[in-house]
Amino acid sequence: LGANVYKEGTTTPVLPEYATFTAGGQKVAVIGVVTQDTPPLVKPDNVAGLTFGDPVDAVNRVADKLENLPAAYRPDIIIAEYHEGAAAVSSATTLQEKIDEGGIFARIVTETSAAVDAIFNGHTHQVYTWDGPVPGVDGATRPIVSTGQYGTNVGKVVLSVGRDSGAVEDYSMEIVNVVGFAGGRTIADMVDGNQTMEEIYGITLEALQVADAEGAVPVGKITQTLSRDYTKGEYVDGKWQKGTTG
């Protein structure tokens, strides 16, 4: 899903903006967006001809569209999946601290449409569960969850929907450890007796063998020290000047 991935120079999405599911008798729409930092993170050829727009604006645009669908197609629940989130989070970090820092995460928390019932984050590899304020609805909150990295955890959110109101009246959220840490299951536990997991793990081991072999082949040599100074620089009189790597 990529509601904020557009054909270059337009606002025409090139990827599906959302997907729909049925859960607990409810129609659920999941809106997906990616970080605007995508271009420098991947091979340039892979994002040629694309524009990565503001993720919050995209979520709100699609949420509004979903809210205005004919009743037969309108979702009961809207979830926002942001491949973006808060950085540098510890067990002592509060949501208000991250809001006060500003930036994209603060906007996700404070500007995502009130039509969105739950927010999942990614990209920053942090672990948190926060009760986020619902814009324009005094005292109301909604879950904001990020589960770390590499499938170590799963974010479990349970939404309680009123039988008569059709609205989310309560929720719970937790980080469920999957494998390897804090009492989670080991890979051996997950694979043992599970044919699907055995096949997946076999593919993984084969891929690792190929990666080890290919990764050991020299592809070039350097004659000078490599530096990241230019990634920490700034523009001075229209020219990029290197900074320090710190």
Side-chain angles (χ1 to χ4, degrees), residues 101-117:
E101 289 179 4
I104 186 59
F105 178 71
R107 292 193 55 233
I108 289 172
V109 175
T110 62
E111 297 181 24
T112 296
S113 169
V116 172
D117 298 294

Side-chain angles (χ1 to χ4, degrees), residues 84-95 97-98 101 105 122-128 130 146:
E84 186 61 272
V89 175
S90 73
S91 59
T93 304
T94 67
L95 176 60
E97 288 173 345
K98 304 313 290 186
E101 289 179 4
F105 178 71
H123 185 50
T124 58
H125 294 191
Q126 304 300 301
V127 177
Y128 50 81
W130 281 319
S146 179

